[in-house]
Each structure stands twice: as C-alpha cells, then as structure tokens.
Amino acid sequence: MSLQITLKDGSVREYQPGISVVEIAADISRGLAKNALAGKINGKVVDLNTPVNENSQLEIITVDSPEALDVYRHSIAHILAQAVQHLFPDTKFGIGPAIKDGFYYDFDSGHTFTPDDLAKIEKEIEAITKADLPFERREVSREEALKIFRERGELYKEELINELPEDAVISIYCQGDFLDLCAGPHVPSTGKIKAVKLMSIAGAYWRGSEKNKMLQRIYGTAFPKKGELDDYLFRLEEAKRRDHRKIGAELQLFTIMDEGPGFPFFFPKGMVIRNELENFWREEHKKAGYQEIKTPIILNRQLWERSGHWQHYKENMYFTDIDEEDFAVKPMNCPGGMLVYRSDLRSYRDLPLRMGELGLVHRHELSGALHGLMRVRAFTQDDAHIFMLPSQIKDEIIGVIELIDRIYKVFGFEYHVELSTKPEKAMGSDEIWDMATDALREALEAKDMPYIVNEGDGAFYGPKIDFHLMDCLGRTWQCGTIQLDFQMPEKFELNYVGEDGQKHRPVMIHRVVFGSIERFIGILTEHYAGAFPTWLAPVQVRVLTVTDRSKEYAQEVVKKLEQAGVRVELDGRNEKIGYKIREAQVQKVPYMLVIGDKEAETGTLALRKRGEGDKGALAVDEFIRQLLEEIRDKG
RNA sequence: GCCGGUGUAGCUCAAUUGGCAGAGCAACUGACUUGUAAUCAGUAGGUUGCGGGUUCGAGUCCCAUCACCGGCUCCA
C-alpha cells in the first residue's frame, strides 16, 4: 500500500511508507533537497529524516520559509552549547531556545564568561559548523533520559525531565560529542549554519525566578544569509543612533541626572514638545466630550487602603508622614478620580461622565529596570475615567478607540490591538466578566478592527484592550489601553440616581492614549530620530544672515514670524553661511531662512528645508502662510 | 533587587609593565564680512563618579559605595 502525500501546491504524490521527508524533497527536486532545513507534516515542523507513515500534507521548509528561522536558530543554540562544552568542560546546561531576534543558551559554569570569550566561542562554533556534524534524534524512555543526564551531572536537565507530562515523548539530539534534551526539530547538520554572531552575556535566573540560582546567558543572533545578518546589525546601529537618551541630551530636550535616578528633567526645548503634546491632547479630549481634573499627588492612608493599593501595591509606592499621619504618593490616579465622582450627587442624566487628568504618578521601580524615559519612577499618565450606564459601555469604548486612532495617526504610527480576558485570580462574577468582555469585543468588531486575544491576561479587576504601536524601525510599544474596572466603583460605593429614583452603581472605564507623556516623548524622539515635525519642533525656524549687512532685515523677518506665533531663532553670528546651516541642520530645525543682500533688497527669503536642501526664494508672507498651514495640519 | 560590563574636560575618546593626565569637537578671545553641512590663530578648561586602602608613586591594583549600560518575559 502506498502513501498519498499532498504537497503545498495541492499536487498529490505516492510513496512507500517509511520514506523520509528529505527523500521526498529529493524526489521533488534536487535543489529543494539541498536547501531543505526541515519538513512540516500536517502543520507540525519536523526533522528532515522523519519517516512518513501515513497519508499527509507535507511542506518542505527551506531557508526562505517563515518557519525556518526558529529551527535554524534553535540548532545554533545547541551548537553554542557544544562550543561552550568544548572550551569550558565543567559547564552545566540550562535551556537554549530561539527567540524573536536570535537565540540564547543559559549556562551554569565555574568560569565567568567575558566579552573576550565570545570571540573564542564564535571560533569554536565555526569549527563545529565546518565539521558538518549531523543532528541525530533519538527517542528515549523517561528512565533512560534521567540516567543519561544524571550521569553527566546535568541537574537542570534532570529537573526538566521530571516535570515533563506523563505522556510526553522524550527525545534527545546529538551532534558529534554533544547531546541535549530537546523536542526538536533541528536542521539536518551543523554545516547548514551560516552567519552567526554572539551578541552579549547576561545574568538570568533559572526558569526566570529570582528564588533560583542565576545562570549566565549568552545571547546570539543568526540568519540563513550573511546579508540578512548585516541588515539586522545595521538596524541595531540605527536604533542606537536614534536612542532617545542620546538625542535628548544632544538636542537639550531632557535628561536624567545622578541626583534623581528615574526622575527625568525636562529642559526648555523638551518642554515645548511636551506642551504641544498636551495642548493637542486637551483639544482632542475637549472635542470628544471630556472634562479635565487634577487630583493631589499625596493622599492619606485611608484612601489607599480603601482602593486596595496599600495592600496590593505597597512595594511600588512611596510614603511620607504629615503631622504624624501616614500618607502615600499616588502611583495611580484612579482613587483621586473616584473621590471627584463622589463629590457630588450624580444622575443618570449626567452619564457618561468623562473625566481626564494629566496625572503625575510615582512608582518605585527596581533600580535595574530603569531605562531613560521609557522606564522611570515618576511619569505623567494621560488618564481618564469614564463613568457610565451599563448600556453605554459599547459606545463609550468605540469613542475611546476612535480617539486613540485619531491621535496615533497624527504621528504616523501603525498599531495593532490586543484583547485580554479574565485571569485566574479575578474579582467579580463570570456573568459580569462575560458582559464586559463581550462589550469590548463588540466594540472592536463594530470598528472592524482585527485583534489578538490574550486569554487570561486581563487585570484582576476587569478585561482590557491594549494598543501596541509600531515605530519606524518596526519596534512595537504598548501605549494606549482601555480597561473596564468593576472594583473601584464597588470599593468607593459610587452610585447615580436612575430613572426609577433608586441608586445604581455606574460602570467605569479607565483609559490612556499616550500612556505616559514621558515615555511617549521617548518613543517620538526615536521614531523621528530627533527631527520632529514642525508643529512639535522646539525651534521651527532659524533665520541665518549671510553678512552683518542683512542683520536688520533679518530681524524684521524674525519679528514677523514671532508675531505669527512661530518659534524662531536668529543666527546673526559672524560665521560662514555653510557653518550656520550645518549647525541648524544638526539641531534638526525644520526650516532655515538664509538672508543676504539679495533677499533684503527684494523683501524675500531663501528657504532651506531640513532634509530637502535649498528650495529657492520666497516672499516672507507667503512663507508664513505655508508654514502656519503646515503647523495647523500637524503635517 | 540580582548577574556582567562601564565611569577620564560640556561631548567623543587617548594615556606602554603602576612613573609628568592628553587630543578633536564645543566654549571663550581675536582676525576674516562670508551665498546653502565645519575659515584661521590663540586662550582657558580636570580632586580621573564619590570614599577608603596597597605603594616611594594609583586614571591604572584592592575594598566599599553611587550612577549608567545590557539582561533577568520568549520555557527541553
């Protein structure tokens, strides 16, 4: 009896049972067999030498297949481990998976790895790939597996085997003198590996828990083609060049000093960006029917006990005492918002009530977690709490989705959304969770938005929608979030008077658009590489004189621009025009106006645009008209 | 917090085995009056993150401390 093998293109071929994937590939074409890294039988990625015993869908995975990269990198992780074993024989092995940008392997070694070791290990990896050792799979019993790794003193592997489920197929892979517990699959041999680079060494707790021993992790990256590795390394360089910490200092936007770790300083130019963002935020929120409030940064212990923060969020909070009473610095704005809601009697006619707050919160983050403006200990949330009737949930969520969409589009961000559902330890009944999750889902579907579901990833008080925006380097950042909260209205006994004259509990959502203003500015700085669009640019126009003779006219031009509300600077120094242009360009000023004798005579200006160069002569008023239009449209 | 690395002028970086702390850019002064990405010359700039120790002598070696960088989420 022969097998029916259905290929990717839909064609069906017949083979004898027991034929291996690679043999089928060879039968299709010799080139395919040569480029093959793995196979995919009925959707499952497998080794090339896997025998096929039943009618199947088969796909040959080559270096060009999307599934190839993980198999490829995972194989290199094994080779890395083998190289380390050769060079540092006392090393015990943890785990070594493929990850988003490469792979890693965790080691427990008496030797402390140094950056110099990476070059040595790379060399050894190269020797192993040159040797073209086959990866061999062997399935073993649990007892056999335990014996193999116990004999080698591989206590981490032993722990992993013991925790495998009862019915697990336990497999080991060997290449040459190296053997590892592994589900596979792998590339057929070490010779398939090209373009590997070890990136860094880091500490990592065994199984990610700080209760466990810290192992040494070696990170690397690899691509099937050298060119792809070079592209990746170039992108890393580009990200480094755009680092907001570097640009923030160079352009004098913001900084973090030793005196306040995690507490950012904003300089005058950074404040311009910040204020523009906040103005924009206020305009959009006003249009969307929000009111603005401001609640105190310090509030008393009772409030935080009532909200549950005192019990559940204490590690992240800062405390103080005033007149011998305990107070806490707010890590979130919601409790203050609750008090504002409660400050007056609310009718169903008042709902939905949308209250926004640019609220400065403080959170004690671990010192090792701090990172520029992206992870700080004090930041401003562009918060808002919407109180509403249960029947208003869907429309309100749609309103927030539209608001977020409108705001992100202005910056040219693409984004995707994720819906997180009820976690293990959640508060509230299943019914209310279902209703809330359905409301979120319906809102997304009403907007025709594709979304990813994160089962069980919601907050303990309610489900949420997260917005992940993508910057110009393809990196994603979680910024906006919409969370339904059933706990706060309960805890603060919020109510409104309904049509029936009775008290009812309102539903609340908690949402942010930017997330944190500081972080958003960090993201924008990297997204634009410091070349902010004109409406955000700290200095929008710099007027450059060619000689002293044109200074007077240049001052007139500056004055006109100032009167039009433009942020303008004059560079009237005795320097060559090329020098002044260079400086303005380095400072990323969007518009440079060159003013010399010709312009003074004709009442014009010579326009130079950042990134585009000389644009020729233009009448002053015409330039101002165009400029104001661009600023207004946030182009 | 934990692991590893780093810390020298405002910035980017030098300084041989422990042996006189230096350069470029920026700043300041002067000359040059300049047409689309760096004019020339000069001057000044430092308790080498902070605190101890070893040594005749420490930027360099040791200890402690602070800050920063990378990582600690991707599960054989």
Side-chain angles (χ1 to χ4, degrees), chain A residues 17-31:
Chain A
I19 189 169
S20 72
V21 174
V22 69
E23 284 163 341
I24 297 174
D27 183 57
I28 298 167
S29 92
R30 285 186 60 177

Side-chain angles (χ1 to χ4, degrees), chain A residues 495-528:
Chain A
N495 53 50
Y496 64 89
V497 179
E499 277 178 280
D500 55 4
Q502 301 297 306
K503 284 183 178 175
H504 299 275
R505 187 120 304 156
V507 180
M508 188 189 97
I509 64 179
H510 172 115
R511 41 107 292 178
V512 291
V513 183
F514 294 142
S516 137
I517 305 277
E518 289 77 3
R519 191 155 173 267
F520 200 77
I521 289 173
I523 294 167
L524 286 182
T525 303
E526 302 196 354
H527 180 60
Y528 294 125

Side-chain angles (χ1 to χ4, degrees), chain A residues 231-496:
Chain A
D231 286 350
Y232 173 74
L233 295 177
F234 179 79
R235 278 203 309 283
L236 281 186
E237 283 304 309
E238 182 61 19
K240 214 164 146 189
R241 203 179 64 74
R242 288 167 175 259
D243 192 313
H244 74 283
R245 294 165 299 191
K246 188 175 147 73
I247 292 178
E250 280 169 1
L251 301 186
Q252 295 177 297
L253 303 177
F254 45 77
T255 193
I256 294 178
M257 309 200 204
D258 281 5
E259 288 81 353
F263 301 109
F265 282 72
F266 278 79
F267 298 137
K269 287 183 176 169
M271 278 311 288
V272 170
I273 295 171
R274 197 180 166 124
N275 286 330
E276 285 295 338
L277 283 176
E278 292 188 1
N279 291 343
F280 173 49
W281 186 89
R282 288 198 167 94
E283 276 168 35
E284 288 298 325
H285 281 72
K286 201 170 170 187
K287 276 192 253 169
Y290 285 75
Q291 295 171 284
E292 188 175 353
I293 59 170
K294 183 75 86 185
T295 68
I297 285 179
I298 297 175
L299 291 162
N300 78 3
R301 176 173 181 155
Q302 274 172 300
L303 175 83
W304 299 108
E305 284 179 343
R306 178 162 208 171
S307 69
H309 288 87
W310 196 274
Q311 298 84 340
H312 299 301
Y313 207 70
K314 213 171 175 190
E315 275 94 84
N316 288 296
M317 290 167 69
Y318 296 112
F319 300 93
T320 186
D321 62 276
I322 301 172
D323 296 340
E324 290 163 46
E325 288 207 31
D326 292 332
F327 282 77
V329 181
K330 69 176 175 185
M332 296 184 195
N333 301 304
C334 27
M338 299 302 110
L339 297 184
V340 173
Y341 181 90
R342 268 167 37 121
S343 67
D344 200 358
L345 196 63
R346 308 289 179 182
S347 148
Y348 73 96
R349 294 171 194 277
D350 300 328
L351 306 183
L353 188 62
R354 309 184 190 95
M355 292 199 292
E357 170 172 18
L358 293 168
L360 176 62
V361 298
H362 289 70
R363 296 180 185 176
H364 178 76
E365 299 290 346
L366 293 179
S367 60
L370 302 178
H371 182 94
L373 292 184
M374 304 302 193
R375 194 85 186 266
V376 291
R377 284 175 171 159
F379 58 99
T380 308
Q381 288 184 312
D382 64 316
D383 222 336
H385 300 102
I386 303 177
F387 303 91
M388 63 211 157
L389 308 173
S391 61
Q392 293 168 330
I393 296 178
K394 187 176 150 193
D395 282 348
E396 282 307 304
I397 291 167
I398 289 175
V400 177
I401 291 173
E402 285 171 348
L403 178 65
I404 291 177
D405 182 67
R406 206 155 53 234
I407 291 178
Y408 286 0
K409 286 245 164 78
V410 167
F411 303 98
F413 288 125
E414 296 290 315
Y415 63 90
H416 76 269
V417 299
E418 300 186 3
L419 172 66
S420 296
T421 60
K422 190 179 177 188
E424 291 271 325
K425 41 177 193 174
M427 304 182 87
S429 68
D430 280 349
E431 292 78 58
I432 200 159
W433 271 87
D434 287 345
M435 186 199 71
T437 310
D438 285 347
L440 291 177
R441 192 177 285 124
E442 278 168 29
L444 286 171
E445 273 155 19
K447 292 302 298 175
D448 246 341
M449 275 188 151
Y451 58 93
I452 300 168
V453 178
N454 288 328
E455 291 297 346
D457 222 20
F460 70 93
Y461 49 77
K464 59 175 182 165
I465 298 174
D466 292 323
F467 289 73
H468 297 253
L469 56 79
M470 189 161 81
D471 71 14
C472 64
L473 293 182
R475 300 173 299 184
T476 58
W477 305 91
Q478 200 221 294
C479 291
T481 177
I482 307 175
Q483 306 184 348
L484 271 159
D485 186 343
F486 311 123
Q487 285 311 303
M488 288 291 159
E490 274 312 311
K491 282 179 172 155
F492 284 86
E493 294 171 354
L494 301 189
N495 53 50
Y496 64 89

Side-chain angles (χ1 to χ4, degrees), chain A residues 28 38 49 60 75 88 136 142 153 175 180 372 457 466 513 597:
Chain A
I28 298 167
N49 57 17
I60 304 299
S75 300
F88 308 99
E136 288 165 15
R142 184 174 298 255
Q175 82 270 18
D180 201 354
D457 222 20
D466 292 323
V513 183
D597 295 337

